[in-house]
Amino acid sequence: MTRVNDAANSGEVGRPAAYDAALDVDSRPYTVPVPFGPEPLTVAEEEKRKVSLFDSFDEVNSIEPEHYARFDVKRGLRNSDGTGVIVGMTNISDVHGYRVEDGKKIADEGHLRLRGYDLYDLLGDDSPERRFAFEEVAYLLLVGSLPTESQLAQFVEVIDSQRELPDGFTASIIMHDVPPDIMNVLARSVLQLYTYDRFAEDRSPKHEVHTALSLMSRLPRIMVLTYYAIQSRFHHGSMIMHRFVPGQSTAETILSMLRPDRQFTPEEARMLDIMLCLHTEHGGGNNSTFTTRVLSSSDTDPYSAYSAAIGSLKGHRHGGANRQVLGMQQEIKDNVANWENDDEVAAYLARIVNKQAYDKTGLVYGMGHAVYTLSDPRAVILKRFAAKLAVGTEFEREFNLLQSIERLAPQVIEQEKGTKKDMCANVDMYSGFVYTMMGIPEELFTPLFACARTAGWAAHRFEEIGSGKRIIRPAYKTTGTPHQPYAPIEER
């Protein structure tokens, strides 16, 4: 009997940039550098003496790993082979990367289908006549079918009409006490927009669709305005506030507002459009989409659900993965003298695998995925468009280096670890490179992800409202701490 994997097994939960089932639980301490912003919080010695609440933090909050195996607890809702525990059903997308035959996992070419349409078909037309696809894909996700020309035109017109922000919103919400991370501003902006919606607690389909479209329209503008507010506050940069241009696509709007001179090429706009399409939806099991479903199942308002999803996507184990890839690639570029020499590239990859270089985790970021085995369709499509954008430019040599990393990494991992795994490049291998080619700052990588994924979050919220009908409430198993006799405070 053959069974294909479910969309609930979607990747992006855990560490999408370099997935290894054996390292499914990440025990590394995170040391995230903060390049700007306030100084780290310091605690006076007197306060430490009076309140030592954090002295036993690790001890109190640690659970022995053997408990999970003993009680067959699916930590992180993951099976032992890294696949996701199936917790729901969806008509929205199918993330396929392997087959299961007689209980055995068989590697297979990857595909991503949105409402039944293969991603290769949706983004297969790269002719000059084919302009933008993001709005068309968003329509497909939200409405359930591909639009006609007139339907798409009306859909784009509605999105275009919602870009205005409430009076005073930019000054009071975006520019006032702007924090150093754009994602936090996106989250608080979504929550604040609740206050401007007289029907925010309306759960009707009409209001749900209207709210989703308004956020799809406004988030790109909020993102760019926030970027410049941060540059102004923390880097003494200019506070550039371009008006949006009516009639432009989402990709064009972002580039037009981001570029100081507002100039961009049709090829750049098309490439950003492809990036938005590739990030708009990836199954119900990824962390931020599941967050949307969990909150929606409680019957909370859409603003609360989407804000929480943004908070999830900000996490370094989820939406921030492409920056990890870019960091590793930069280290390879800095330490390999001849990028065209396979032996030199392989030697440095061996150092990374043996935990001697980069972040010393042994992970080759950009390689491997929780679902995809032989190929990640998003990476395949992105690589094709990136090659066209890079050819004949200063980035062509770097693109060839990334291809070498993709080709050599599986061989190096097999040689150094002595195990052969089905491994392919994931979308993060090339996404940061593409953004860099277009001059898009690293600070915008994850916010762009959020702008694109809003359509996917909305589709899953709609489906949860229509079909879930039950609050998501999994169980937690107690470790069996023995009963403790209570003692009055004076006797402790």
Side-chain angles (χ1 to χ4, degrees), residues 123-131 270 274 384-385 388:
L123 303 181
D125 186 356
D126 55 3
S127 63
E129 292 76 22
R130 182 69 164 94
R131 298 205 64 206
R270 174 68 168 140
I274 292 297
R384 185 179 78 238
F385 279 92
K388 291 186 176 183

Side-chain angles (χ1 to χ4, degrees), residues 203-224:
R203 303 289 190 273
S204 68
K206 180 179 179 180
H207 182 264
E208 287 289 341
V209 171
H210 171 78
T211 303
L213 294 180
S214 70
L215 292 178
M216 285 174 55
S217 176
R218 290 168 164 174
L219 280 179
R221 189 175 180 210
I222 294 171
M223 172 189 69
V224 176

